[in-house]
Amino acid sequence: MFASLSFRVAALGFTVVVAVAALAGLMVDASRQTRQSFDWVQHSGAVIEIIEEALADLRNAESGQRGFVLTHNPDYASSFASATADAAGKIRQVVNMTGDNPGQNARAREIADLMAQRIAVLKQPLHLGQRGDFVGALAIVSRGRGRELMDAIAVRVEAFLDQERVLQKMRQEATEERLTIGKWSAVIGAAIVALLALVGSALIVRAIRKPLHTMLKAMTHLGDGEHSRIATTMGSREFAQLARGYNAMADRLAAAVADQAGSEQRLQVANTSLERTAATLRDRGDVIELLGGMAHRMQAARTDEELAQIIRVFVPRVLPNIPGALYAHNNSRNLLVPVAEWGDFGTGSDGFAPDQCWALRRGQAHWLAGTGDDIVCAHIGHDEAYHCEPLLAGGEVIGVLHLRAQIGTESRFRLTVLAENIASALVNHRLQRSLREQTIRDPLTGLFNRRYMEEAMTIEIARTARSGAPLSLVMCDVDHFKRFNDDHGHDAGDAVLQAVAAEMKKRFRDGDVVCRFGGEEFTVIAPGTSSEALMNRVESVRQAIAELSIRQNGRTLGAISMSFGIATWNDTMTRDGSSLIQAADAALYQAKREGRNRANVYRLAA
């Protein structure tokens, strides 16, 4: 297998693809572990918040009971039952949430018992007061039993919170460590893939140049009248075949020289054949070297435009004077869409379906030499000489090369190797793009994530600082989002976030960068737009979201509204975007204070 030069080229492409796939798997696993660590950090935060709320509810109940006993005003006792019920419910929730931690669970159970005792003690004077015995109620309060219980509860809650904050810090440090490992894994993995492609390309080029030099040297000697044979161990099957052909030709030439009768004529024929062979050999060597450089550049391409530019530069050099176009398969649309064209081609369409090309139907090259010579592909539209070369990988359609000319015998070699290189590069490019999408997209909403937002913010601020064009930022979040999770569960909260994200993506401009900042918060970077001009767009988004009606499991989740804060960058702000975010955040909080479900523009203090 490795004796074939074509197999080595294919093996290089396969090795690079496998390395990229392994790198992608590593990144997916790192992302999963980071997500788990982040969930534990959020879990600790939720535990801390709920137990603090439970303690606050208990203290509210205590204040209501004392106010009732001291003032005889029944309004103070009206919220006692709900406050004690909330406190008991929340401490039970904390007990359930700490089931994975025996130490914290034991502390939570102890706090729950003490709270139950405190609630029982609080109820005694309350009941006496409700029956009119305020003297007896004051006597029970003055004994101080309730204060001792409350102090014990406060001490144990503080110990519980200290331990939970320690856990939260440890989990946060673990998350940061996993993020660092993921980042370095991506950097090292990409370097290894690039090194593999570079080393493999260098070895292939070296395997071409050495036998090519040997054969050219032998042919030079032969032209000088020196007869010599070439060893057939040339390092590759193709060059060995050429060497055997050369030796056979040289032997025939020697026999022709020995044969006096007609020797001049036979010598002339041999020389002509030798020149053709040498020209073919040089041509193929140049093509292989050219394709090696092309393959190296395609493997390093990061964007569709870079890949198209490489195609436009190198393909006309490999297939001179043959106009054509490269179409790549778009899986989501099931279309072959134009990627690049060269020569006087002009695609004239946005793409075509795979079944419109006979080359893709048959899985092999399809061409038309003249009118009526063969079946015409539906995407051609009229009789003309053309050639369609399918690009396949593992039985999957990758793309097609459409050439507006008939390909000669010698050009078939060029086209075959060219198609293999382009197919390998398209597969690699598709994997790289998929990996990039995973790192910059929020998996729940499909919007850009906070990491991408920070990178885009830095770029846009640098651009607006140079050009003087305005740059605005929108900070927004869902009003009372917690109630969706509390009333309907976290699946309902996810449904709300997805619906809001879809509406924002649909209504903001294509040039605006819509991101999920975190939780129920979103950001929108709007280049070339001032706050005042952006306000109308934000208002239409706000009204559209207020009109949303989301149903889940046969029930309506209720009204949804969002608050928005808008700010525009100026040269007094920092270049990293932190000042702009703070300004938009301040405008958002102002909208919250003014009643929510509104948009507010940040104004500098006079």
Side-chain angles (χ1 to χ4, degrees):
M1 291 184 182
F2 286 98
S4 171
L5 188 60
S6 299
F7 182 83
R8 294 181 201 175
V9 174
L12 172 61
F14 177 77
T15 301
V16 172
V17 169
V18 170
V20 171
L23 179 60
L26 181 63
M27 292 299 98
V28 170
D29 182 66
S31 176
R32 179 187 58 80
Q33 293 185 14
T34 303
R35 182 68 227 179
Q36 290 177 348
S37 298
F38 183 71
D39 289 342
W40 278 113
V41 172
Q42 289 184 318
H43 175 81
S44 292
V47 168
I48 292 171
E49 181 181 357
I50 293 171
I51 198 169
E52 287 176 342
E53 290 177 356
L55 185 60
D57 289 337
L58 184 61
R59 284 173 172 162
N60 287 339
E62 182 182 27
S63 298
Q65 181 244 47
R66 287 189 177 180
F68 173 65
V69 171
L70 292 173
T71 65
H72 304 175
N73 187 345
D75 290 340
Y76 284 102
S78 60
S79 63
F80 179 83
S82 61
T84 55
D86 288 345
K90 289 173 181 176
I91 193 61
R92 284 195 300 271
Q93 186 178 357
V94 170
V95 171
N96 293 333
M97 292 175 71
T98 56
D100 60 302
N101 189 328
Q104 287 292 83
N105 186 257
R107 295 184 183 95
R109 291 180 182 276
E110 183 181 3
I111 293 170
D113 292 340
L114 290 172
M115 281 190 174
Q117 295 176 33
R118 178 54 179 152
I119 290 171
V121 171
L122 287 173
K123 287 180 179 180
Q124 293 175 4
L126 182 71
H127 291 162
L128 288 176
Q130 289 173 339
R131 292 197 298 268
D133 187 4
F134 288 100
V135 175
L138 284 172
I140 294 175
V141 171
S142 63
R143 293 174 188 169
R145 170 61 178 161
R147 175 53 55 191
E148 294 174 359
L149 284 172
M150 201 64 191
D151 291 342
I153 291 171
V155 169
R156 284 159 178 79
V157 166
E158 186 62 29
F160 179 91
L161 290 175
D162 289 342
Q163 183 62 31
E164 195 64 31
R165 290 189 183 104
V166 170
L167 286 173
Q168 187 180 36
K169 182 178 179 182
M170 292 170 58
R171 290 165 177 170
Q172 187 170 1
E173 290 173 351
T175 302
E176 293 172 354
E177 181 179 357
R178 288 193 174 115
L179 284 172
T180 302
I181 292 173
K183 179 184 72 175
W184 284 110
S185 297
V187 172
I188 294 172
I192 291 174
V193 171
L195 183 61
L196 281 175
L198 181 63
V199 172
S201 300
L203 291 176
I204 291 174
V205 171
R206 180 182 177 186
I208 294 170
R209 284 184 172 175
K210 185 176 180 181
L212 180 62
H213 175 73
T214 300
M215 296 194 73
L216 290 175
K217 182 178 179 181
M219 283 184 275
T220 301
H221 291 164
L222 186 62
D224 294 337
E226 299 178 12
H227 174 65
S228 60
R229 294 177 60 83
I230 300 177
T232 56
T233 56
M234 300 291 288
S236 68
R237 185 182 302 161
E238 291 84 356
F239 279 107
Q241 185 177 358
L242 288 173
R244 286 193 293 270
Y246 168 82
N247 289 335
M249 181 188 62
D251 290 341
R252 287 195 300 271
L253 180 61
V257 172
D259 186 2
Q260 295 299 323
S263 60
E264 187 68 28
Q265 182 179 2
R266 289 194 296 272
L267 181 60
Q268 184 177 0
V269 171
N271 280 332
T272 302
S273 176
L274 181 61
E275 288 175 359
R276 284 199 303 267
T277 302
T280 301
L281 187 61
R282 283 194 298 270
D283 181 66
R284 291 195 175 187
D286 291 342
V287 168
I288 292 174
E289 185 172 0
L290 181 62
L291 287 174
M294 177 183 175
H296 187 204
R297 287 165 176 79
M298 287 192 297
Q299 297 295 342
R302 291 292 177 268
T303 65
D304 293 343
E305 181 54 35
E306 287 180 351
L307 188 64
Q309 185 179 4
I310 295 169
I311 297 294
R312 288 192 293 267
V313 169
F314 279 88
V315 174
R317 296 170 63 187
V318 178
L319 298 173
N321 302 320
I322 299 179
L326 168 65
Y327 291 84
H329 185 236
N330 187 309
N331 291 325
S332 61
R333 299 168 57 194
N334 194 27
L335 285 178
L336 276 299
V337 296
V339 174
E341 61 181 69
W342 55 93
D344 187 16
F345 187 83
T347 56
S349 69
D350 294 332
F352 56 87
D355 60 0
Q356 291 184 298
C357 181
W358 281 97
L360 296 178
R361 286 193 190 185
R362 300 166 60 205
Q364 62 186 45
H366 183 80
W367 64 86
L368 187 69
T371 303
D373 183 61
D374 203 338
I375 300 173
V376 181
C377 293
H379 66 92
I380 301 300
H382 52 84
D383 289 354
E384 63 176 8
Y386 74 91
H387 184 107
C388 287
E389 186 73 20
L391 305 179
L392 306 172
E396 180 185 358
V397 174
I398 302 299
V400 65
L401 278 171
H402 177 204
L403 306 173
R404 192 171 290 164
Q406 187 177 358
I407 304 302
T409 303
E410 178 55 31
S411 294
R412 283 296 306 166
F413 170 79
R414 293 169 172 252
L415 181 58
T416 300
V417 182
L418 175 67
E420 291 176 355
N421 274 270
I422 293 178
S424 175
L426 287 177
V427 170
N428 178 61
H429 191 65
R430 184 182 296 178
L431 289 174
Q432 288 182 347
R433 183 165 51 196
S434 175
L435 182 60
R436 171 66 176 165
E437 283 294 312
Q438 292 178 17
T439 60
I440 67 174
R441 292 284 182 183
D442 172 55
L444 176 64
T445 63
L447 300 178
F448 291 113
N449 57 24
R450 181 168 180 173
R451 175 183 175 185
Y452 180 83
M453 183 274 293
E454 292 171 349
E455 294 176 358
M457 177 81 72
T458 303
I459 294 172
E460 292 299 338
I461 288 177
R463 184 175 297 154
T464 198
R466 291 194 302 270
S467 66
L471 171 67
S472 296
L473 178 73
V474 180
M475 289 288 292
C476 55
D477 69 4
V478 180
D479 296 329
H480 301 297
F481 178 74
K482 187 175 181 295
R483 69 180 174 84
F484 291 105
N485 288 332
D486 293 343
D487 296 345
H488 306 286
H490 288 282
D491 288 343
D494 289 347
V496 170
L497 292 177
Q498 290 171 337
V500 167
E503 197 68 30
M504 293 177 67
K505 193 180 338 181
K506 179 173 66 176
R507 294 188 176 272
F508 278 102
R509 300 179 309 177
D510 291 340
D512 297 337
V513 183
V514 184
C515 311
R516 184 183 179 190
F517 191 75
E520 71 272 22
E521 289 186 289
F522 300 87
T523 58
V524 183
I525 303 172
T529 307
S530 64
S531 298
E532 290 73 16
L534 189 58
M535 175 61 85
N536 291 334
R537 200 179 315 152
V538 170
E539 276 296 320
S540 68
V541 173
R542 184 190 63 78
Q543 292 174 8
I545 290 174
E547 294 171 1
L548 287 176
S549 178
I550 303 175
R551 294 182 61 83
Q552 186 193 43
N553 298 328
R555 60 183 177 179
T556 302
L557 298 183
I560 301 173
S561 66
M562 290 188 70
S563 299
F564 298 81
I566 308 171
T568 299
W569 188 85
N570 59 68
D571 54 10
T572 64
M573 295 182 176
T574 59
R575 291 294 186 96
D576 61 0
S578 59
S579 298
L580 181 57
I581 292 174
Q582 290 174 3
D585 209 29
L588 169 61
Y589 279 107
Q590 181 65 28
K592 293 283 189 182
R593 287 192 295 269
E594 293 175 356
R596 295 183 171 84
N597 191 21
R598 65 189 64 226
N600 190 36
V601 176
Y602 176 76
R603 307 289 183 188
L604 289 172

